[in-house]
Amino acid sequence: MPPHGRELRPSGSRSAYAGTPGAAAVAGGPPTSTTPPPAPRAAPRSPTPCRPRRLPGLRVHARFSSSPQNSLAIIRPLAEAGFIAPAPHFANLSGQDVYNGNQSKDVSEVITRTLALNTAGDPLAGHINTAVGVGVSGHSMGGMTTHGLLTAWPDARITAAIPMSCVGMGNPSPSVRAKVLFTHGDRDGTSPISSARQAYRELPAAKAFLTFRGAGHSNYFGDSRTVNTFVDWMRWSLYGDTAARDRLRSDATSSTTTWERPELRSSYARLRTRAHWP
């Protein structure tokens, strides 16, 4: 049992989500939406296999009635990119668990248990680089859980985070130094984009914000722009993949999206010289 007594049920098929040994994703699924997603700009690319012995990028998603199967649009590309993708189901999740920190703390427990497989009698033993940090992400309450891990209930192991359709959960913690990508629909009636934008402004670089103009709370979730940007953000943040870093702008750009990284405006020449940002 996790530290707060709420059951974490495995998805039942971890092998379905296992990529090249060395990286990982934890997930549930987005809410069912009757609104069709926006037309994709292009089909998601086939990710390039990654070298072994990289650390898990743990993708965490949580929402009422969610399931790992509802997040396969993100989980499978992550696994194909070389991330290990365990997918626990957070049973009996409530909004109170998110706001009081229990959910963020349970996610930290998932991270601990996944990293422990590196020394356990498990096929992943010896294949996890525990020195480079982990990545987390989630949609809606999962996005709030993710932001909570950067703020009110920090986990210093996190070096990459993608809060999707979230509201802010507190002030940034100095103990967490992560590259953070926010994604949000500007017509989200459930999680106001204004709260996510405030959370974005408060965080230090490196960070980015991808807005889907005209989109609501969840209908951009499986869009190719979401998937491509998501995977390349994790590849860059956890693998140090500079080719993925250089693709981010084109991944996110379309006639109905806005891609922002304000630090470019003040230090573009210096960063370009150092080849730190595309």
Side-chain angles (χ1 to χ4, degrees):
M1 297 291 283
H4 304 94
R6 295 187 296 117
E7 179 186 5
L8 299 179
R9 297 206 305 266
S11 67
S13 181
R14 186 184 69 177
S15 61
Y17 311 132
T20 303
V26 180
T32 300
S33 173
T34 57
T35 304
R41 174 172 55 88
R45 69 175 57 86
S46 297
T48 303
C50 298
R51 294 171 295 176
R53 297 191 62 79
R54 295 289 187 182
L55 185 81
L58 293 163
R59 182 189 177 276
V60 183
H61 176 80
R63 186 176 170 83
F64 294 120
S65 303
S66 67
S67 72
Q69 287 71 25
N70 286 343
S71 280
L72 290 179
I74 294 289
I75 294 174
R76 282 178 170 152
L78 282 171
E80 290 168 357
F83 293 88
I84 301 159
H89 177 206
F90 293 92
N92 305 315
L93 177 64
S94 71
Q96 181 180 2
D97 289 318
V98 175
Y99 280 104
N100 66 17
N102 282 351
Q103 183 69 3
S104 291
K105 294 172 186 177
D106 281 353
V107 168
S108 285
E109 177 69 10
V110 172
I111 293 172
T112 297
R113 293 189 188 189
T114 302
L115 298 181
L117 298 177
N118 197 47
T119 56
D122 188 271
L124 298 179
H127 292 293
I128 303 176
N129 180 345
T130 58
V132 299
V134 302
V136 296
S137 176
H139 175 267
S140 191
M141 290 206 305
M144 294 160 63
T145 298
T146 298
H147 192 248
L149 288 163
L150 309 175
T151 56
W153 306 282
D155 191 320
R157 296 171 293 184
I158 296 169
T159 56
I162 305 179
M164 308 171 76
S165 300
C166 76
V167 297
M169 298 299 288
N171 296 322
S173 170
S175 68
V176 182
R177 295 295 299 177
K179 295 180 175 72
V180 184
L181 166 64
F182 289 80
T183 66
H184 218 106
D186 68 356
R187 295 186 182 178
D188 189 335
T190 303
S191 301
I193 192 173
S194 58
S195 180
R197 292 200 61 83
Q198 179 179 343
Y200 169 66
R201 287 192 297 269
E202 292 170 349
L203 284 171
K207 61 183 178 179
F209 202 107
L210 174 56
T211 302
F212 286 82
R213 300 193 303 276
H217 187 59
S218 60
N219 58 334
Y220 67 86
F221 185 82
D223 185 278
S224 64
R225 295 162 295 186
T226 302
V227 174
N228 289 340
T229 307
F230 191 112
V231 172
D232 277 342
W233 189 268
M234 288 295 184
R235 288 181 66 96
W236 170 51
S237 300
L238 295 172
Y239 292 160
D241 185 338
T242 56
R245 177 202 64 195
D246 294 344
R247 288 193 298 261
L248 285 168
R249 183 178 297 278
S250 61
D251 287 342
T253 300
S254 75
S255 61
T256 57
T257 55
T258 302
W259 173 248
E260 300 172 71
R261 278 207 308 248
E263 60 270 24
L264 284 175
R265 300 189 185 106
S266 61
S267 54
Y268 175 79
R270 175 176 60 83
L271 292 176
R272 184 175 59 179
T273 299
R274 295 182 180 181
H276 185 66
W277 290 93

